[in-house]
Amino acid sequence: MLDVYIAKTIVTLNRSQPDATAIAVRDGMIVEVGSLSSLEPWLLREPHVIHRTFESDVMVPGFIDPHLHPAMAAVILPMHFITAMPWSLPWREVPATVTPEAFDREMVRILAEVDDEITIFWGHHDLWHGAMHRSRIDQLSGDRPVVVWNRSFHELHMNHACMLHLGIDEVLAQRRKQVDLDAGRFYENGLGFAISRLNPFILEDARFRQGLERLREVVHFGGHTTIGDMAVGLFDFERELRESRAIFGGPETFFRVEQVPHGGVLTHGRSAEEALAQLSSLAAESGPKLTFRKRIKFFADGAFFSQLAQLLPPGYLDGHEGEWLMVPELLEAKLREFWHAGYRIHVHVTGDRAVELTLSILEQLQSELPRTNHGFTLEHMGYATPEQLAWAKQLGVSVSANIYYLHELASRYAEMSVGYERASSMGRLGTCFDEGLITALHSDFTMAPAQPLLNMWVAVNRVNAQGELMAESERLTPAQALAAVTINAAKILGIEHETGSLRAGKRADVTILSDNPLSVDPMAIRDIAVKGTLFEGTLRLNEPLHDIG
């Protein structure tokens, strides 16, 4: 049986036939894209149903977010959001909180309404909400355990009551790097220590499953048909595998998850041979909706939101230094192991110094063992120089960028972090496309909303939260931005032969929109409604905002 869907316009991203009005689907695969007239040879030969529900709407290839973190989202989504930018979630709207006083008032309000074992707030950023400190939290709540998690997720602060509750004392803390016990601050690698103490609470079965269920709704809400879990093992490798399979593997999920292990976790305490054996085992156990392939993810420098990216001179305005998540010597050793084993490697780089290091390592690895079509990808790439992007092209590197940095942070970072020139040129996407780099957009959810149309809007308009145009020459065309959340994102994950564009023989992954992002006013792209998706031919309509608990 053929299911034939009619639309006002179908944007295929298939150069041979860029536009269509009808798509025929059988058993989850695309049979043909064209018009009712061009499909007639199929319709004469096979039973079929013609669906006209969307004949006033627009269809595009199913959206792909190649880099988000389901486990991190599952931990964050049950928290209490206090954020500098408004957030639109499937179950509620979160208003903006933009001053230290407002942040503290919101904490006090929520504390009066809830009775959590540990009350956790997410979304704090110094540049809006002021410096956080243990004493500040103690003044608001001295006897109840409270955690204030930074917007970056790479650091948190907790009050004295929380440290007592978790059994954290000076003896424990002094053995850990990147911990400031007096301030109640745990950052970068020190965050891992704090998480190890918080895990019984944040990974409690019911709470974690609720978070994954909420993440599933967020993914549906954004119109995705594929996501990349770009660091499986952030919290608890086995727990994440088990719960992800339980929540995402069933019929209620209308997207697939491409799983990329956290290299630091996977290789910790293991030889290269042991790590590679485990990866092979994971790939063999993959299912139709959750798939491990020959891919690995490593982290170079610190968080962008925390201003811990490693920068080349002139550095930060206040002279502080960034942080390494993996020291350069160890990063080189790990990349070498997996490069020689033939893996597609993804590296978290937020600052241009980390980009420089990573490209230098790759150049050395290419001299040792030349590889083509290797899929080496720079993840995030908040800051990079034009010369580095030309170098990346020579090395065959791809870019998966978080362009939302520009919208939320550019104005504040221009004034208080790195100066106007570098703040305005965050995410040099125009240069990436000019150089011919395979370039995709991602959310790194919850570092940005998991809304591809919003990311497209930022990439096309480069307008920050204050309404200022930033580095106009780095803007993408709407067609480039759409490619960046579909076919290019598929290339980043190495699945472009399966999905990412609409043509015969590919999976029937389609996102249904209320208007055409290629023809509307560019400033209206983010206002287009996601009406639903076809995931391997199965229709899933978006529902109005609702409370899912």
Side-chain angles (χ1 to χ4, degrees), residues 63-68 151 222 224 401-408 429 440-445 447-463 476-478 480-482 484-485 522 525-527:
F63 289 149
I64 300 172
D65 190 329
H67 183 141
L68 52 70
R151 174 72 174 79
H224 302 86
N402 185 340
I403 194 57
Y404 190 76
Y405 293 152
L406 180 87
H407 178 66
E408 182 163 339
L429 298 183
L441 299 177
H442 66 248
S443 69
D444 193 24
F445 187 77
M447 297 306 98
Q451 297 172 23
L453 288 167
L454 175 59
N455 283 331
M456 285 181 60
W457 178 86
V458 177
V460 169
N461 295 290
R462 291 189 69 90
V463 173
L476 298 187
T477 67
Q480 288 172 330
L482 181 60
V485 297
I525 290 173
R526 65 177 175 179
D527 300 320

Side-chain angles (χ1 to χ4, degrees), residues 70-71 74 208-209 211-213 215-216 227 229 232-233 236-261 266 277-293:
F208 190 64
R209 288 170 187 161
L212 288 176
E213 288 167 355
L215 185 275
R216 182 172 61 199
I227 62 171
D229 184 346
V232 180
D236 181 320
F237 207 100
E238 294 305 318
R239 169 77 63 87
E240 291 174 35
L241 284 180
R242 182 175 67 253
E243 298 297 346
S244 292
R245 288 167 178 165
I247 300 299
F248 300 143
E252 302 87 0
T253 298
F254 296 85
F255 56 86
R256 66 185 64 81
V257 184
E258 294 290 323
Q259 298 180 287
V260 182
L266 192 79
Q278 183 178 4
L279 284 169
S280 296
S281 175
L282 289 169
E285 295 170 4
S286 292
K289 287 186 178 176
L290 295 101
T291 306
F292 284 96
R293 303 176 196 262

Side-chain angles (χ1 to χ4, degrees), residues 436-547:
L437 296 170
I438 295 170
T439 305
L441 299 177
H442 66 248
S443 69
D444 193 24
F445 187 77
T446 56
M447 297 306 98
Q451 297 172 23
L453 288 167
L454 175 59
N455 283 331
M456 285 181 60
W457 178 86
V458 177
V460 169
N461 295 290
R462 291 189 69 90
V463 173
N464 67 23
Q466 288 69 37
E468 303 164 304
L469 175 62
M470 310 300 282
E472 180 178 6
S473 64
E474 293 291 348
R475 293 186 301 182
L476 298 187
T477 67
Q480 288 172 330
L482 181 60
V485 297
T486 54
I487 187 61
N488 286 7
K491 291 175 181 177
I492 293 293
L493 294 173
I495 56 173
E496 68 273 20
H497 60 290
E498 300 177 18
T499 189
S501 63
L502 302 177
R503 63 161 175 79
K506 282 198 171 185
R507 298 186 185 277
D509 295 342
V510 178
T511 299
I512 305 158
L513 304 175
S514 62
D515 214 331
N516 188 345
L518 304 189
S519 60
V520 299
D521 183 322
M523 287 297 289
I525 290 173
R526 65 177 175 179
D527 300 320
I528 295 172
V530 177
K531 305 192 79 170
T533 58
L534 290 174
F535 171 65
E536 297 184 358
T538 299
L539 178 64
R540 199 267 187 189
L541 296 178
N542 269 0
E543 301 174 5
L545 291 176
H546 61 289
D547 187 355

Side-chain angles (χ1 to χ4, degrees), residues 106-114 119 121 140-141 144 146:
E106 189 65 2
M107 286 177 64
V108 170
R109 182 191 68 79
I110 293 170
L111 283 164
E113 295 178 356
V114 302
T119 305
F121 301 98
L140 300 175
S141 178
R144 291 173 58 182
V146 175

Side-chain angles (χ1 to χ4, degrees), residues 180-198:
D180 181 348
L181 195 65
D182 289 339
R185 183 186 182 215
F186 301 79
Y187 60 103
E188 301 302 358
N189 290 306
L191 176 70
F193 168 61
I195 285 176
S196 71
R197 313 299 287 193
L198 285 165

